[in-house]
Amino acid sequence: MSESSYNFIFVIVFLCLGLRSSAFTNLNTLSFKESLSPLFGDGNLVRSPDDLSVRLLLDKYTGSGFISSNMYQHGFYSSMIKLPADYTAGVVVAFYTSNGDVFEKTHDELDIEFLGNIKGKPWRFQTNLYGNGSTHRGREERYRLWFDPSKEFHRYSILWTPHKIIFWVDDVPIREVIRSEAMGADYPAKPMSLYATIWDASDWATSGGKYKANYKYAPFIAEFKSFSLDGCSVDPIQEVPTDCSDSVDFLESQDYFFINSRQRTAMRRFRQQFMYYSYCYDTVRYPVPPPECVIVPAEKDRFKDTGRLKFGGTEARGRRRNRRQQMSEIESDPDERRRFLK
């Protein structure tokens, strides 16, 4: 069994047996025209007849994208997304919030970016956040997915409140950032729009730019549906600020604001198995970890000073053998499955 197959089984077993409720069962979903507008590449943005889904295309001439019709002071942004299939190296699909069009030098941003893929390899993606134009202090984390995101739709979500940020993949919270006073203006604080884009990032996206976009596979198609946007709609340049306290209270009362014990276990297991870079452990870049970092010994032990995984070669093969053996025991023994999920 390949390592990617093992990883798939590892997490699926956990999710199937361990997560019994969804944080997203009561979302208020919207049509495209209710909440979104084309951003660029109009001819490559194809809305469904019922206006409940949209396809973004990239060809050799242009990519495409859309933007939320409003800006929000804090919010919950979510969509079911299916990524392009086959060879997609160099192609970036991004689902993110930003206010760069309004605050060019002091913009805020929250990112989920899919980094292209070579068919048969695990998909890789990253999350990031910026506040007040602090692009030189990026807070990247990079991961592999435990499924093929081009085969079916999965839900990707970003929660942003004055107190914390959570990135979700389906029902798994993959990253939580608790606001620290020491972060100051690095914590995103100004109204942001939601964006989704597909574009050619051959110079950096896949294996650091080693693999480029190949347009014989074009058009590359990303599909979006089941949009959900909750937040306080504001005009960022109005003289009298909008009171968004009721909206924040609403966001912080929803299931997606809380990470229950099983979801927290899922997050820990995801980060142990699928996170392959974290700025918090990059001691070359940050000799002193940024103030919001929570240093987890089990995570720290897995990384070099570069923040990347430190195992490889024969050690990695040994880890794979041990994992396969553990997985076999878990699958064959019901009692072992229950212990695994505790």
Side-chain angles (χ1 to χ4, degrees), residues 60-255:
K60 63 181 180 180
Y61 302 106
T62 184
S64 52
F66 60 78
I67 184 174
S68 59
S69 301
N70 298 312
M71 300 185 75
Y72 298 90
Q73 182 65 50
H74 304 110
F76 175 76
Y77 314 86
S78 183
S79 179
M80 301 286 287
I81 304 173
K82 186 164 76 168
L83 297 182
D86 297 319
Y87 181 95
T88 59
V91 177
V92 167
V93 176
F95 184 75
Y96 66 104
T97 67
S98 179
N99 48 34
D101 290 342
V102 178
F103 305 101
E104 293 184 9
K105 296 183 179 180
T106 59
H107 85 286
D108 307 270
E109 195 167 311
L110 296 168
D111 299 328
I112 298 176
E113 292 182 302
F114 302 96
L115 304 177
N117 185 57
I118 301 168
K119 189 174 182 179
K121 299 292 185 180
W123 275 80
R124 298 172 186 261
F125 71 110
Q126 69 181 17
T127 62
N128 206 346
L129 66 99
Y130 302 106
N132 202 41
S134 58
T135 54
H136 62 294
R137 291 190 296 276
R139 290 167 160 86
E140 302 98 326
E141 290 186 351
R142 289 194 173 190
Y143 330 85
R144 291 174 289 118
L145 282 168
W146 65 90
F147 54 83
D148 183 342
S150 69
K151 289 187 177 297
E152 58 186 6
F153 285 91
H154 289 266
R155 182 168 290 281
Y156 304 90
S157 309
I158 301 170
L159 171 70
W160 167 49
T161 77
H163 305 109
K164 67 180 177 182
I165 295 161
I166 304 176
F167 295 90
W168 292 84
V169 176
D170 290 329
D171 289 318
V172 180
I174 64 167
R175 181 179 184 181
E176 179 184 37
V177 179
I178 304 297
R179 182 174 189 171
S180 163
E181 289 300 321
M183 288 183 72
D186 280 9
Y187 189 89
K190 298 186 292 296
M192 290 191 278
S193 300
L194 171 68
Y195 293 80
T197 56
I198 184 170
W199 52 290
D200 186 334
S202 291
D203 57 337
W204 66 270
T206 308
S207 298
K210 179 179 179 180
Y211 300 99
K212 313 294 185 182
N214 186 336
Y215 285 97
K216 79 175 185 179
Y217 296 98
F220 303 102
I221 301 172
E223 300 181 67
F224 298 77
K225 68 177 184 178
S226 299
F227 309 106
S228 182
L229 283 78
D230 276 317
C232 184
S233 177
V234 301
D235 179 348
I237 59 174
Q238 64 187 9
E239 294 184 4
V240 180
T242 302
D243 181 1
C244 290
S245 56
D246 288 346
S247 176
V248 170
D249 289 344
F250 171 81
L251 292 171
E252 297 188 347
S253 70
Q254 300 304 299
D255 288 345

Side-chain angles (χ1 to χ4, degrees), residues 24-32 34-35 51-52 76 78-80 155 225-230:
F24 307 107
T25 54
N26 298 312
L27 294 184
N28 177 31
T29 57
L30 303 167
S31 67
F32 189 92
E34 286 180 295
S35 55
D51 208 42
L52 296 179
F76 175 76
S78 183
S79 179
M80 301 286 287
R155 182 168 290 281
K225 68 177 184 178
S226 299
F227 309 106
S228 182
L229 283 78
D230 276 317

Side-chain angles (χ1 to χ4, degrees), residues 47-64:
R47 293 158 63 172
S48 64
D50 62 7
D51 208 42
L52 296 179
S53 64
V54 62
R55 291 184 171 190
L56 296 182
L57 281 65
L58 168 67
D59 57 29
K60 63 181 180 180
Y61 302 106
T62 184
S64 52

Side-chain angles (χ1 to χ4, degrees), residues 275-288:
M275 183 170 71
Y276 68 91
Y277 174 81
S278 171
Y279 73 104
C280 286
Y281 303 111
D282 191 339
T283 56
V284 173
R285 188 177 179 189
Y286 298 114
V288 176

